[in-house]
Amino acid sequence: HAGDEVEILEAAIEEGCIGESLAAVQAEWCASFAADPAIRDALSTIAEDEGNHALLAWRFVDWMLEQRPHLVPVAEAAFERARMPREIPWALGINELEREGLRHGYLSEALESTIRIRAYNHVVVPCIKALLDKHGVENAPLFVS
């Protein structure tokens, strides 16, 4: 017995679809600022690995919803619980201290939050919309732009 299908689906959505997608975008973005080639390479490798994990999770959730259509409302609720704010303005840009940290592979908490929210809204939300549309949840109020 591998576990409850609801728990499995919710974990795949939270940890895989959302968590891995955000981690991939964050690592890729940070790699572009790293001054040290070893740090840049490590972050690029992390971005690729996390992206592959995210892709696997999205495919698994899609398959699970095809096999168990009664779980579509569970998936919709899991995506709703994981929702992030629409945007955080970038108007202030990155300060010099954050820029220096990025050169060494360090990301401030505030900058990490901003990147994750932007990645969520520009990468994850379109994937959620496509997945739910495919499984009969058209124009879910949460995801309508």
Side-chain angles (χ1 to χ4, degrees):
H1 180 68
D4 179 81
E5 65 184 9
V6 170
E7 290 176 9
I8 292 168
L9 178 62
E10 290 173 335
I13 288 170
E14 181 183 323
E15 298 167 21
C17 296
I18 304 213
E20 302 282 358
S21 294
L22 298 181
V25 171
Q26 181 178 319
E28 183 177 348
W29 190 85
C30 289
S32 69
F33 287 92
D36 184 312
I39 292 172
R40 188 173 41 254
D41 290 347
L43 288 168
S44 294
T45 299
I46 291 168
E48 184 176 350
D49 288 348
E50 298 295 327
N52 288 334
H53 299 156
L55 180 58
L56 181 61
W58 285 103
R59 286 179 175 165
F60 171 76
V61 169
D62 183 37
W63 171 84
M64 195 163 185
L65 296 178
E66 285 176 0
Q67 300 302 309
R68 295 169 175 83
H70 66 279
L71 292 176
V72 170
V74 172
E76 190 175 4
F79 286 124
E80 168 67 29
R81 283 191 305 278
R83 181 168 52 150
M84 298 179 99
R86 286 283 302 150
E87 290 291 331
I88 290 181
W90 285 77
L92 299 176
I94 301 171
N95 66 39
E96 189 52 42
L97 185 58
E98 288 172 321
R99 217 178 281 290
E100 184 62 27
L102 285 170
R103 283 193 279 272
H104 299 286
Y106 173 77
L107 188 60
S108 72
E109 226 176 278
L111 189 53
E112 178 180 3
S113 177
T114 301
I115 292 165
R116 292 176 69 84
I117 288 170
R118 288 186 63 83
Y120 176 82
N121 286 296
H122 295 280
V123 175
V124 174
V125 167
C127 292
I128 293 170
K129 287 174 75 170
L131 180 72
L132 292 179
D133 283 351
K134 179 180 177 184
H135 293 281
V137 182
E138 296 182 16
N139 298 320
L142 166 65
F143 307 110
V144 175
S145 299

